[in-house]
Amino acid sequence: MRSWIKAAGLVLAAMLVRLSWTTAWPESWDAVDFALALRRYDLFAMQPHFPGYPFFILAGHFFLPLIENEYLSLSWVSAVSGGIGVGLFYGVARRFLPEKWAFWGGVWLAVHPMTWLASEQPMSDAMGLATALLLWWTVSFSLRWPDGDQRHGWVLVSGAVVVAVLLGVRLSYWPLAAVLLYPAIRLLVVKGKWQLSAERVRYLILAAGLGIGLTGAWILAVSNSEGSVMRFFRLGAAFTEGHFTQWGDTAFTGAPSWADRMVEFFRRQIWVAAMGGWYPTAPTWQWVTGLAVATALLAAVTFERRWGDHRVRLVALWMFPYGLWLFFGQNVEKWRHILPLIPAMILAAMWGIRRLAERRRLAAYGLLALILTLHTVQGASLVRIHHEDKPAVVEMADYVKNHYDPDRVVLITWEEERVLYARDSRYETILLHSWPVFTGALTPYRHGEKHVLITGAVVDGFGPRKELLRPYLREVARFESHPLIDPVYHTIRLYEIDVKRFFKETVDGVQGGRAS
């Protein structure tokens, strides 16, 4: 009973803190997608984008009648999910650590800068992490029983149900389903030999049936709202292809090299996001934060006494499949993709601190206090900035709204387009990703009928060809926000193009030269 009281206290405290700092900004393309879905659910209009996130959107509808603001409703879903996730992690940690250390692990997750920040945003990440932790907590029951115990079968079945829900919250967390191998193997392997009796195999069949059936049920519900299952899967195929070939910034979208990607992965995802280490615009003391966490992790792998084979295998099944997916299939610039690995890091670090306490008690408690203090300070600073300061893309949208008549301007953008639309749908935007269609997009404005604005992201995306455009650009404004809160669009440059001169000296000149 005492552990349940602690868990409830952690959940309540984390939830109340998070609800106090939620925001109502349309801070990114995805956030606008989700908010628009609360008004009208339409996958083909990217409201939201594939695969539809039905459980997250459904949760947003729960708060919308109370709050009457789409972004704030979704932020409340994140705040509540963040608190629940802390309690679930405490439950997981109790399977690996004594209760005292499990409790402090829960506190650490509550104040961790990235999990705290994710719980303040109108995005599905916090709810996805909470659902993932529910999966881990469910599977961790198998640590209680010996190999061959049929209760592993019921853990497997329960876990399959949670996976079906998880895929409807964050499809990108699909590699975490690998932890279901743990109860499955412990069910079927007894004293080193496979026991494939019908009584045991039925659990596999039931788990597969429920997992596939429930996933199919929400896919059917979403696809029916869009016309047909085939249209849903065609949309999914196109979305997936684009993710891996155009805009997803995966290992297959033309990154400089896998070696450079590895450096960025460890720098951005591990050192900065997971460990809280220093980055160029951070205060110097964040070197201490990163090194303190590194010390705790080093202690976990240095001391001889281990968790035991079963616990190591369960953690490995959680970390390695998702870690590979994160490296190869996700954008390493965006810190939010590391979220499922942060609880595993905290678990390992708490194990190291506990072992250190058996040798140097004061050093262990001092290290824990230092990490919790520094992460709390860093987390509080981030959520305060996120709560009080507009993102750069929102500042840009407001600047355009205050300085340009919607009938006299057109904006060429990348992902900023969605936020501009959310702030004022009267403004004409062109979503542009490549140079070959650039001049065609400019042609209707070649005589100067409208101001043509272009963002720095589009210009930089032209690669070497951007130098052809440079002489015709005039920077009209620059907007800055925090690089951790806005990892991709924390600096936005807004230019005006001298379209008439560009066509006269570049486009028409080239065409004339070819004609002659």
Side-chain angles (χ1 to χ4, degrees):
M1 180 62 70
R2 186 180 174 187
S3 63
W4 283 104
I5 294 174
K6 287 185 177 181
L10 283 171
V11 170
L12 183 61
M15 198 180 295
L16 289 175
V17 169
R18 283 153 169 75
L19 287 171
S20 301
W21 293 93
T22 52
T23 60
W25 305 122
E27 56 194 63
S28 66
W29 178 295
D30 287 346
V32 176
D33 282 355
F34 292 136
L36 290 174
L38 291 180
R39 302 177 190 174
R40 181 173 63 87
Y41 193 84
D42 185 348
L43 262 62
F44 288 91
M46 299 282 282
Q47 298 181 203
H49 60 70
F50 181 85
Y53 304 84
F55 297 113
F56 179 62
I57 300 302
L58 186 62
H61 277 290
F62 178 81
F63 290 110
L64 186 59
L66 305 174
I67 302 171
E68 297 182 352
N69 180 291
E70 291 85 356
Y71 300 99
L72 194 56
S73 298
L74 295 171
S75 295
W76 274 42
V77 173
S78 294
V80 171
S81 299
I84 293 172
V86 169
L88 289 168
F89 177 66
Y90 169 64
V92 172
R94 288 189 64 234
R95 307 267 194 257
F96 292 81
L97 297 164
E99 186 171 326
K100 174 179 67 176
W101 299 103
F103 175 80
W104 288 114
V107 173
W108 187 350
L109 186 70
V111 301
H112 190 283
M114 296 298 100
T115 59
W116 191 354
L117 179 60
S119 300
E120 307 291 358
Q121 297 180 317
M123 301 284 286
S124 63
D125 301 278
M127 187 176 181
L129 179 60
T131 312
L133 288 169
L134 175 61
L135 172 62
W136 200 2
W137 177 74
T138 301
V139 171
S140 69
F141 275 91
S142 279
L143 292 170
R144 291 180 167 186
W145 308 308
D147 290 346
D149 193 307
Q150 294 198 23
R151 284 175 290 186
H152 294 302
W154 291 114
V155 171
L156 176 63
V157 171
S158 302
V161 172
V162 178
V163 166
V165 177
L166 177 62
L167 297 179
V169 178
R170 289 243 8 126
L171 183 62
S172 62
Y173 287 0
W174 66 267
L176 298 175
V179 295
L180 294 181
L181 292 172
Y182 182 77
I185 292 172
R186 297 206 64 192
L187 171 68
L188 299 176
V189 177
V190 183
K191 296 181 179 179
K193 295 182 180 180
W194 291 94
Q195 300 288 334
L196 300 177
S197 65
E199 191 176 17
R200 296 178 186 279
V201 172
R202 68 177 182 177
Y203 289 108
L204 273 67
I205 297 173
L206 181 59
L210 281 173
I212 295 172
L214 292 173
T215 303
W218 69 254
I219 288 176
L220 184 62
V222 169
S223 59
N224 279 345
S225 70
E226 303 309 315
S228 71
V229 174
M230 291 307 299
R231 289 187 70 195
F232 176 83
F233 282 111
R234 282 197 295 268
L235 177 64
F239 185 88
T240 303
E241 181 184 359
H243 176 76
F244 281 99
T245 61
Q246 297 177 24
W247 43 262
D249 286 331
T250 70
F252 307 98
T253 53
S257 72
W258 283 11
D260 291 339
R261 186 176 179 86
M262 182 67 74
V263 170
E264 284 300 290
F265 175 81
F266 279 100
R267 184 177 71 87
R268 290 177 179 268
Q269 298 287 334
I270 306 299
W271 171 253
V272 175
M275 298 171 65
W278 182 86
Y279 52 93
T281 60
T284 306
W285 56 261
Q286 284 192 209
W287 277 105
V288 179
T289 310
L291 292 174
V293 176
T295 301
L297 292 171
L298 182 63
V301 299
T302 299
F303 299 134
E304 294 180 2
R305 295 180 64 188
R306 308 295 185 191
W307 281 329
D309 290 342
H310 285 305
R311 289 173 173 80
V312 171
R313 290 168 188 161
L314 182 52
V315 173
L317 283 170
W318 182 267
M319 293 185 65
F320 287 111
Y322 187 80
L324 290 172
W325 166 247
L326 174 59
F327 177 79
F328 288 105
Q330 295 289 284
N331 185 342
V332 297
E333 289 187 343
K334 295 182 178 180
W335 58 264
R336 58 193 180 89
H337 296 306
I338 194 72
L339 285 176
L341 299 186
I342 290 175
M345 180 204 73
I346 292 175
L347 200 60
M350 290 302 303
W351 177 260
I353 293 172
R354 182 211 171 184
R355 288 307 185 195
L356 179 62
E358 295 175 353
R359 293 161 172 78
R360 297 286 188 272
R361 185 179 180 86
L362 287 178
Y365 280 100
L367 179 62
L368 176 61
L370 178 65
I371 291 172
L372 293 180
T373 299
L374 294 178
H375 269 184
T376 301
V377 171
Q378 185 181 352
S381 174
L382 281 176
V383 299
R384 180 189 59 79
I385 293 171
H386 178 259
H387 180 75
E388 295 178 357
D389 297 348
K390 292 180 181 178
V393 65
V394 174
E395 288 187 341
M396 185 195 73
D398 290 348
Y399 175 87
V400 171
K401 186 176 179 179
N402 293 330
H403 290 81
Y404 293 91
D405 185 330
D407 296 324
R408 298 285 299 161
V409 68
V410 61
L411 298 100
I412 301 175
T413 69
W414 270 14
E415 291 188 14
E416 308 98 332
E417 180 206 36
R418 205 66 159 172
V419 176
L420 287 165
Y421 174 82
R423 295 301 270 186
D424 195 326
S425 60
R426 296 176 300 162
Y427 285 87
E428 181 184 356
T429 59
I430 300 173
L431 183 63
L432 191 64
H433 283 270
S434 63
W435 178 269
V437 298
F438 176 63
T439 54
L442 283 184
T443 299
Y445 316 104
R446 61 184 299 168
H447 300 299
E449 295 89 346
K450 290 187 177 184
H451 298 283
V452 178
L453 305 179
I454 188 170
T455 64
V458 180
V459 175
D460 293 339
F462 289 151
R465 286 181 171 178
K466 66 184 178 184
E467 298 306 321
L468 297 174
L469 187 61
R470 288 285 185 198
Y472 310 100
L473 298 180
R474 178 177 65 87
E475 184 174 312
V476 295
R478 183 181 293 244
F479 311 94
E480 304 278 350
S481 53
H482 198 286
L484 281 187
I485 298 173
D486 302 302
V488 179
Y489 291 96
H490 55 86
T491 299
I492 296 180
R493 304 179 309 279
L494 186 64
Y495 300 99
E496 184 166 354
I497 308 175
D498 188 339
V499 181
K500 292 176 68 174
R501 194 160 68 90
F502 173 71
F503 268 85
K504 180 179 179 181
E505 298 179 5
T506 302
V507 180
D508 294 340
V510 170
Q511 293 173 348
R514 287 175 179 170
S516 63

